[in-house]
């Protein structure tokens, strides 16, 4: 190919060459045969390609999702905002119990108890992880109550007992708790009240791992523990909340003694469905006096037609 560089023809000749040899951006992108499957999943599939590279749009989307997941891990839980949201969704006035007052004076305890008949009671506790850096580097500290919280809960729970304790922990996504916990807690409180179960004061735990709830339930003398915690963010789910249920939780409890319902969020498992599944588990647990691997989620078991031929996937 040659280009005429004469003063009057250079511009026209070059423009014609560019126009004839450059396709539009949409023509450059080679679509994947699985493109239609994208409507059924948030998984990163059928991205297409431009040459040997990923197209610009899915590349930018990946970078955004990665940034949101990172922010979810590093973000601190805004406890005051969470308390306000709980009040709005539960349609109840909030009474924040000061554990230090209970530790200092039994008279103060009795005085406050008389004022809490129709209010939503909330306790704040912390783990042994003092900040986000310690929380990420020392998972074991996130599983243990701070010495102050442990002592104060011990005093508060003396001579008390409850059927259910609900603990909200920031975990690896404070955003998950902030966005999903208020609606879920409102659903659970309504269901538990219908069952006639006594509910311990709600507990908000910062710097927490799943096992932190065991210590809380043990000190509150609660038969059943419902631990709500922010799950490890995926690249399409920075707001996913997990529910961990344990019967007769103790500080010595381990993972095999827990049942888990995960991916509770607006784009995942709806809060109402999650609450219904949890209640079914708890009713069976109350009957059998156990939880964990021996307690099956019967709502997940498919109804099989015994007359149908079994299909082998592998």
């Amino acid at each position: 190919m040659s280009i005429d560089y004469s003063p009057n023809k250079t511009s026209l000749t070059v423009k014609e060459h560019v126009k004839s040899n450059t396709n539009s951006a949409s023509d450059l992108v080679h679509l994947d045969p699985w493109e239609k499957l994208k409507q059924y999943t948030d998984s990163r599939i059928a991205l297409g390609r431009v040459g040997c590279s990923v197209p610009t749009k899915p590349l930018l989307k990946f970078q955004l999702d990665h940034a949101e997941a990172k922010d979810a891990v590093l973000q601190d839980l805004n406890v005051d905002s969470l308390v306000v949201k709980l009040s709005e969704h539960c349609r109840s006035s909030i009474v924040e119990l000061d554990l230090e007052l209970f530790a200092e004076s039994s008279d103060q305890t009795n005085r406050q108890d008389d004022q809490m008949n129709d209010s939503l009671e909330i306790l704040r506790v912390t783990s042994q992880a003092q900040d986000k850096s310690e929380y990420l580097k020392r998972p074991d500290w996130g599983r243990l109550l701070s010495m102050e919280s442990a002592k104060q809960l011990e005093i508060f729970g003396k001579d008390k007992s409850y059927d259910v304790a609900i603990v909200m922990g920031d975990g690896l996504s404070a955003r998950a708790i902030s966005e999903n916990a208020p609606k879920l807690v409102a659903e659970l409180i309504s269901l538990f009240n219908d069952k006639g179960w006594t509910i311990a004061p709600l507990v908000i735990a910062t710097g927490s791992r799943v096992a932190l709830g065991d210590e809380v339930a043990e000190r509150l003398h609660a038969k059943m523990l419902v631990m709500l915690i922010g799950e490890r963010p995926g690249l399409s789910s920075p707001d996913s909340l997990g529910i961990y249920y344990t019967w007769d939780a103790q500080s010595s409890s381990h993972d095999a003694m827990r049942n888990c319902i995960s991916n509770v969020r607006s784009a995942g498992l709806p809060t109402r469905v999650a609450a219904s599944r949890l209640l079914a588990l708890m009713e069976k647990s109350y009957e059998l006096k156990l939880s964990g691997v021996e307690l099956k989620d019967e709502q997940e078991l498919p109804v099989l037609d015994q007359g149908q031929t079994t299909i082998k996937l592998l």
Side-chain angles (χ1 to χ4, degrees):
M1 181 200 71
S2 61
I3 299 177
D4 188 346
Y5 288 98
S6 61
N8 296 328
K9 294 184 177 181
T10 300
S11 177
L12 177 61
T13 308
V14 172
K15 286 181 179 179
E16 290 177 348
H17 169 68
V18 171
K19 182 177 180 180
S20 63
N21 289 277
T22 302
N23 297 321
S24 65
S26 59
D27 292 335
L28 291 175
V29 177
H30 296 269
L31 297 179
D32 191 282
W34 287 8
E35 179 73 21
K36 292 183 179 180
L37 295 179
K38 294 177 71 173
Q39 61 183 305
Y40 302 110
T41 178
D42 289 332
S43 301
R44 217 167 294 276
I45 64 170
L47 300 182
R49 63 179 178 83
V50 177
C52 60
S53 302
V54 178
T56 300
K57 186 175 180 179
L59 175 62
L60 294 176
K61 181 64 167 62
F62 172 83
Q63 292 174 337
L64 174 62
D65 290 344
H66 183 270
E68 286 187 336
K70 185 175 180 181
D71 287 345
V73 172
L74 298 178
Q75 179 184 355
D76 291 322
L77 179 63
N78 188 330
V79 178
D80 293 331
S81 175
L82 177 59
V83 170
V84 172
K85 291 179 181 179
L86 285 167
S87 176
E88 293 173 352
H89 283 85
C90 297
R91 299 180 182 179
S92 177
S93 59
I94 297 290
V95 174
E96 290 195 62
L97 308 183
D98 192 334
L99 285 174
E100 292 185 5
L101 294 181
F102 285 94
E104 292 173 359
S105 170
S106 59
D107 294 336
Q108 182 70 21
T109 302
N110 295 331
R111 186 180 67 81
Q112 289 197 13
D113 282 342
D114 294 337
Q115 298 175 355
M116 299 172 195
N117 296 327
D118 301 317
S119 301
L120 185 62
E121 306 166 24
I122 293 182
L123 299 169
R124 300 190 191 192
V125 299
T126 60
S127 74
Q128 293 185 8
Q130 298 295 315
D131 52 42
K132 187 66 70 172
S133 177
E134 286 187 355
Y135 173 78
L136 294 174
K137 293 176 182 177
R138 292 296 304 266
D140 53 324
W141 289 355
R143 301 185 185 104
L144 301 172
L145 285 168
S146 65
M147 294 183 63
E148 295 80 8
S149 294
K151 178 181 178 182
Q152 292 161 4
L153 271 180
E154 191 77 40
I155 296 173
F156 174 84
K158 186 178 180 181
D159 300 326
K160 295 184 177 69
S161 63
Y162 304 95
D163 290 317
V164 186
I166 302 176
V167 182
M168 292 165 280
D170 48 4
L172 287 167
S173 176
R175 173 180 170 182
I177 290 295
S178 178
E179 294 183 4
N180 302 297
K183 292 180 287 185
L184 181 56
V185 168
E187 291 279 354
L188 294 177
I189 288 177
S190 176
L191 293 174
F192 296 164
N193 284 334
D194 290 343
K195 294 294 295 182
W197 291 340
T198 55
I199 306 172
L202 302 179
V203 178
I204 299 176
T206 53
S208 64
R209 301 278 176 172
V210 173
L212 186 78
D214 299 334
E215 283 200 60
V216 174
E218 183 178 32
R219 285 166 171 76
L220 292 178
H221 306 289
K223 296 177 184 176
M224 297 177 280
L225 166 65
V226 176
M227 180 70 179
L228 312 181
I229 195 164
E231 295 183 309
R232 181 182 292 105
L235 288 177
S236 61
S237 56
D239 57 344
S240 180
L241 178 147
I243 306 173
Y244 289 84
Y245 169 72
T246 311
W247 170 267
D248 192 24
Q250 306 289 330
S251 55
S252 58
S253 297
H254 50 78
D255 289 343
M257 301 169 67
R258 303 184 181 98
N259 294 88
C260 178
I261 300 174
S262 62
N263 196 35
V264 181
R265 59 191 183 102
S266 58
L269 186 67
T271 54
R272 181 163 294 183
V273 176
S276 175
R277 284 181 55 186
L278 176 62
L279 181 65
L281 268 176
M282 295 174 71
E283 288 176 329
K284 195 67 175 179
S285 171
Y286 198 91
E287 175 186 342
L288 300 176
K289 302 295 187 290
L290 54 81
S291 62
V293 295
E294 297 180 272
L295 179 65
K296 304 304 179 184
D297 187 347
E298 296 180 349
Q299 287 195 340
E300 284 192 334
L301 295 178
V303 178
L304 300 177
D305 184 351
Q306 299 298 325
Q308 289 183 349
T309 304
T310 303
I311 299 175
K312 295 184 179 181
L313 298 179
L314 296 176

